Structures are given as C-alpha cells and as structure tokens.
Amino acid sequence: MECPLGPIRVSSECHLSVPSNIEAQVFVEIYRSLLRRRLIGPPLDQPNSFQKDAMKESKVTVKIPRPLYRKIQVLIGDSGFNSATDFIVFVLRDLVGRTETSDGDFSSEEIKEVKKKLKNLGYL
Amino acid sequence: MISPHGGRLVNRVVDEKERERLTALAPSLPKLTLNAREVSDLDMIACGAMSPLSGFMGSEDYKSVVDLKRLAKGLPWTIPVVLATKIGTSHEIYLPGQDIALYDTDDNFLAILHLEEKFKADKDNEAAHVLRTNDDVHPGVQYLKSIGDHYLGGEVSVVNRVKFGKFNNYRLDPKETRFLFKHKGWEKITAFQTRNPIHRAHEYIQKCALETVDALLLHPLMGETKSDDIPADVRLECYESILENYFPSTRTALSVFPAAMRYAGPREAVFHAILRKNYGCTHFIVGRDHAGFGKYYGTYDAHYIFNEFDREEIDITPMFFDHAFFCKKCGNMASSKTCSHTSDDHIFISGTKAREMFAAGDVPPAEFTRPEVAEVLIKHYTSQNTAEKAAAK
C-alpha cells in the first residue's frame, strides 16, 4: 500500500513500509502522531515530472569569449564574488532588473525615492 | 515573485486629497491613543505587511484566529491583531459606525478607524490558546492584563505614517523590499527573524540557508520587546558589523521589521513567516524555540506547527534548523542533525554567562561570537554597568 501522504523518511536510507491491512485514515493518524513526536521526518520532496523538467531548465550555458572571462577572473579578485559566473549573473541581473522595475505600484517619483533609499543602503 | 498572503498587497495609506480631508476632520472625532504594539500593528497594516488585513480584527476573525489559527474566511493566521479599549474610561463613546481618530502617545495623529464592531475580549481563552499559558510571568499574559477588555474592529485609513525615531534608513515597506528583490533578480529569498545579536550559531544557520537560495534578508525585529532584551540600536550595530565583515554584500540585505514581540512561540513563528511572505520572501528560517519565552514552549514546537497547514496555503517555505554550535571534534559549526559528538565537545555559552563575560569586558571564544560583535556588546554592557553604578550613588 502506498502512503497517502507520500514517501516517509525514517532515516536517509530507509523508507517506512506500510502493512496492507491498515486503513489509509488510520495510517494518516499514526503518521501524524509520529510526526508530532518527531519520531519520523516529513514527507520527502520528490519532484514530479513537470518539476524535473523545470529544474533541468533552470540554468543554461552561455558562451563568452575566453579573454573576457579571464579579465573578469582578474577583475573579481578579492571582491567577494566566488567565481566569474557569480559576477556575470550579478551584473546581468542588475542590468535586466533596471529595465523590469517600472513597477505599476509606484509612481515615477516614488521609484526615484525608493531607488535613492536602496542606493543609500548600498543595495543598488 | 511570491504572492502576498491573500493574493494582494494591502495599502491603507490615503492619497493626498483624502489626507487633507481626514486631517481636517480628525479634531471633531472621538480620540483613541494607541500603545506601542498597536502603533506597530497599525503601521504594518498600512503598508501591507499584514496583508490581507485592512484594519483591526472584528470578533469573527478574532475568534477564528484564537481557536482555529485561521481568519474567518479560512486563510491561515495565528496571532490576533486587535485594538483594545478600557471600560470605564472613554470606552462608552466608541459606537459602531463611527469614525475614530487614532493617535500615538506623543499625540501625533495617525489614522482613522472606521469602527465596525466593539466586542468583549476573551482574554483567558486568548492567552490559553495563543500563548499556551495564563501564567502572569509570561510577558504576553502581562500585556493582555494591561490593556482594555474590549476590542474595536474595523478598517483603517492611515493619514500619517508612524514617525519612528530610529533606523529610518533601514525601514523598507513590503513593496520596497519586493522592488529590491525584483531589481536584483533574486527569486529565492530567505528571511531571518531575530531580536538578539547574531552569534556564530545564528550566522551558521543563515549561511546554510543562503547556500540554497539567492539571497538573505536579515530582518531584525525592532518593535517593542521585553525591557531586558538588548536595545535595538545595539543589536543593529552588531548586524552591521557582521554583515560588513562576514557576509557577501551582493547577496545580503538588512532591513528592520517593525513588529512588536508577542513571545507566542510557535504561533508567532507562523505569523512571522506569513508577514515575511508579504515582504516578498520565499523562504523563512525557523530555528530552535522561535519567539519563545522561558519554558513555555517545546524547543521545536515552532517547527511542528507548520505541519498543521498545507504547504500551499502558507506558501512561504519554512527552513527548519536545529540547535547549532561549534564542535571541537568536528572542527566546525554543526547542529544536532549533523554532529555525532557529545555536548562535552561542543562550545556552548549560556546567555547569562555570555552577558557576564561581556559586562566584565571579556571576549568570548571566536567559536561562540565574532570579535566585532563582542566589541559592540562589551561596549554596551560596560556602559550599562557604569550608568547603573552612577545611579546607585
């Protein structure tokens, strides 16, 4: 019988098997009781096929000229960026963000104010 | 971007034209002075941090929240947000259907309450359910006993935002943090709630969380706390020093959370998470004994309570962390989940012991707290001692 709440983690290696003669509702009660007492962990996150596809597509490879990549590696030095990729993602997000943040919730005056506030904090 | 709780970010701040009208009207209305917690709540309703609330709760929402941890329409909500008034004072003049002018204790006009309902609070039931105790020692119980017995429910129209004396540069409304996240391209943001200075254990769980998300919003609570909690300005100095020295500035933001502490443990953990969702955060760190006080809540009750809700209805993802420490055998920070050694190998200093060390000018081990944080706290405790000695003379 399959657990109505999904696979159950007893340890990282072991899944709880459910005797076939237990009613689903009874099992849910037992399961919740064990969960409350922390004798077992919550259901494992198991991505469905849609989520798996989304995960596959969450990152793409972009090619840039190697000399530019080397220059970026030198540029980031001790700046706190862990890699050239981190730096490039940061710069691109900043650039893309600037074009996207014409937010309907703000008037143009308010946008100026918010940007000023965030710049003063060093966030923009 | 994650949707606000209830789907829409509430804005109860009136426009300029309405502001002029209500300002002129206010002197002719019954007046009510709010305490520090109510002022915080009002400001958070105004800016949408408490979405979907558009005012102080009426009896239906109040009862449902206290008994069922949900608003009357079913949305998860675990803490009553109410406005109290005392019998025998000016209580009788407040009648449903009236507009009431709300002021702070410095007599600044803040808002109009459109009073829909006046009802008697069931404080014993509220304390038993929300705080899980009726013990007078609990600060939440003390607060309930200090306020009036009747609650006033209704929408608010906020005319003047609260003027906070401190940290105004760090005050970001939900729409401003959402703007920041969007502008930075951060999709997964975890929020860290704190009312204490950051020691290594806090830093460890923040960084563990940061490994799996795009950014960390350090969101210290700056509303009313217990008198023996470390003052907000000292805490903020600790956060600034630790962020400057130990966190990636490209993936971290600091902003203050204007809520007042309830010390309601697990219920407050869910409340804090929901409010951070309104700020645009997708994840929320829940450590041991979140928002707890004394021995009133189990160490991990603030984790278990999230099991009472479907993941979709809370939406923001809680990130649970166990007790963290430095393990001498492991040679690194760890938690009871990741370390197999006994407490003899763990560097642990109790709050009381740490306070004694700071007051004596002793720097605790770097495995317990960063030297920059220790410096700020030593300065605070030694000046406090000097002031106390001077007062005693």
Side-chain angles (χ1 to χ4, degrees), chain B residues 195-332:
Chain B
R195 62 184 163 95
N196 290 311
I198 290 178
H199 297 304
R200 293 294 301 273
H202 305 113
E203 183 186 331
Y204 169 70
I205 63 176
Q206 289 160 8
K207 286 184 172 171
C208 283
L210 190 51
E211 290 286 357
T212 65
V213 296
D214 298 325
L216 166 73
L217 175 67
L218 192 58
H219 215 201
L221 181 141
M222 291 291 172
E224 191 183 39
T225 58
K226 292 188 280 103
S227 57
D228 58 345
D229 282 342
I230 292 175
D233 49 349
V234 177
R235 286 186 282 132
L236 198 69
E237 204 180 330
C238 294
Y239 307 141
E240 285 173 331
S241 72
I242 204 160
L243 287 184
E244 189 184 331
N245 291 289
Y246 300 102
F247 280 81
S249 60
T250 52
R251 296 179 58 211
T252 320
L254 169 66
S255 171
V256 301
F257 179 55
M261 274 305 293
R262 266 81 174 175
Y263 303 96
R267 279 202 183 225
E268 199 163 358
V270 175
F271 178 67
H272 283 161
I274 289 170
L275 267 53
R276 270 32 180 259
K277 177 170 78 166
N278 288 333
Y279 280 90
C281 298
T282 54
H283 294 67
F284 182 65
I285 296 170
V286 187
R288 61 190 283 277
D289 199 21
H290 186 104
F293 174 77
K295 303 275 182 199
Y296 291 95
Y297 312 106
T299 309
Y300 297 106
D301 284 358
H303 294 189
Y304 311 147
I305 192 174
F306 283 87
N307 291 325
E308 295 178 29
F309 303 94
D310 285 340
R311 191 174 291 184
E312 293 75 21
E313 53 181 5
I314 294 279
D315 206 12
I316 187 167
T317 306
M319 303 176 93
F320 301 130
F321 286 92
D322 279 20
H323 174 49
F325 42 75
F326 187 91
C327 173
K328 288 181 273 188
K329 273 206 177 143
C330 293
N332 54 12

Side-chain angles (χ1 to χ4, degrees), chain B residues 78-310:
Chain B
T78 49
I79 297 283
V81 178
V82 289
L83 180 57
T85 181
K86 284 187 177 164
I87 293 177
T89 55
S90 51
H91 155 75
E92 286 81 4
I93 65 170
Y94 304 133
L95 298 172
Q98 273 185 329
D99 280 348
I100 295 165
L102 306 179
Y103 290 77
D104 66 13
T105 48
D106 291 330
D107 215 27
N108 296 307
F109 169 52
L110 301 175
I112 302 285
L113 170 71
H114 309 290
L115 184 60
E116 289 160 27
E117 193 182 359
K118 181 171 65 177
F119 59 99
K120 191 163 186 342
D122 187 348
K123 289 187 187 177
D124 286 342
N125 188 51
E126 182 179 337
H129 280 81
V130 177
L131 305 170
R132 292 194 191 170
T133 178
N134 278 294
D135 190 347
D136 286 344
V137 176
H138 192 290
V141 177
Q142 287 172 10
Y143 173 83
L144 280 177
K145 293 200 169 168
S146 74
I147 60 172
D149 293 322
H150 284 73
Y151 290 155
L152 305 177
E155 291 198 331
V156 291
S157 295
V158 176
V159 179
N160 297 305
R161 291 292 300 276
V162 179
K163 286 192 181 72
F164 292 100
K166 291 177 173 176
F167 328 122
N168 286 328
N169 56 331
Y170 282 112
R171 289 185 191 279
L172 299 177
D173 287 341
K175 68 176 186 176
E176 292 172 326
T177 49
R178 285 171 171 269
F179 182 94
L180 172 67
F181 302 158
K182 197 172 167 188
H183 191 94
K184 299 288 261 187
W186 294 340
E187 288 170 4
K188 290 184 189 170
I189 307 102
T190 191
F192 184 79
Q193 142 78 30
T194 172
R195 62 184 163 95
N196 290 311
I198 290 178
H199 297 304
R200 293 294 301 273
H202 305 113
E203 183 186 331
Y204 169 70
I205 63 176
Q206 289 160 8
K207 286 184 172 171
C208 283
L210 190 51
E211 290 286 357
T212 65
V213 296
D214 298 325
L216 166 73
L217 175 67
L218 192 58
H219 215 201
L221 181 141
M222 291 291 172
E224 191 183 39
T225 58
K226 292 188 280 103
S227 57
D228 58 345
D229 282 342
I230 292 175
D233 49 349
V234 177
R235 286 186 282 132
L236 198 69
E237 204 180 330
C238 294
Y239 307 141
E240 285 173 331
S241 72
I242 204 160
L243 287 184
E244 189 184 331
N245 291 289
Y246 300 102
F247 280 81
S249 60
T250 52
R251 296 179 58 211
T252 320
L254 169 66
S255 171
V256 301
F257 179 55
M261 274 305 293
R262 266 81 174 175
Y263 303 96
R267 279 202 183 225
E268 199 163 358
V270 175
F271 178 67
H272 283 161
I274 289 170
L275 267 53
R276 270 32 180 259
K277 177 170 78 166
N278 288 333
Y279 280 90
C281 298
T282 54
H283 294 67
F284 182 65
I285 296 170
V286 187
R288 61 190 283 277
D289 199 21
H290 186 104
F293 174 77
K295 303 275 182 199
Y296 291 95
Y297 312 106
T299 309
Y300 297 106
D301 284 358
H303 294 189
Y304 311 147
I305 192 174
F306 283 87
N307 291 325
E308 295 178 29
F309 303 94
D310 285 340

Side-chain angles (χ1 to χ4, degrees), chain A residues 50-88:
Chain A
F50 175 78
Q51 287 168 322
K52 277 180 187 163
D53 287 343
M55 284 159 71
K56 258 189 236 164
E57 289 173 11
S58 69
K59 299 223 166 137
V60 294
T61 306
V62 177
K63 290 186 177 179
I64 63 166
R66 191 170 293 279
L68 175 62
Y69 183 78
R70 288 201 180 113
K71 277 184 189 168
I72 292 170
Q73 283 182 311
V74 174
L75 183 72
I76 59 176
D78 295 328
S79 63
F81 288 99
N82 292 327
S83 64
T85 305
D86 274 2
F87 176 77
I88 293 164

Side-chain angles (χ1 to χ4, degrees), chain B residues 325-353:
Chain B
F325 42 75
F326 187 91
C327 173
K328 288 181 273 188
K329 273 206 177 143
C330 293
N332 54 12
M333 296 298 300
S335 78
S336 36
K337 264 185 182 169
T338 55
C339 174
S340 60
H341 305 116
T342 66
S343 56
D344 293 342
D345 298 310
H346 301 161
I347 294 181
F348 174 76
I349 298 175
S350 71
T352 311
K353 174 73 182 161

Side-chain angles (χ1 to χ4, degrees), chain B residues 27-66:
Chain B
S28 64
L29 299 176
K31 179 179 174 179
L32 181 64
T33 301
L34 275 50
N35 65 30
R37 182 191 289 189
E38 291 162 347
V39 167
S40 284
D41 288 351
L42 175 71
D43 202 56
M44 296 187 82
I45 292 167
C47 67
M50 292 232 193
S51 299
L53 301 191
S54 54
F56 290 98
M57 286 178 183
S59 61
E60 214 181 330
D61 276 333
Y62 169 71
K63 282 177 190 155
S64 180
V65 166
V66 169

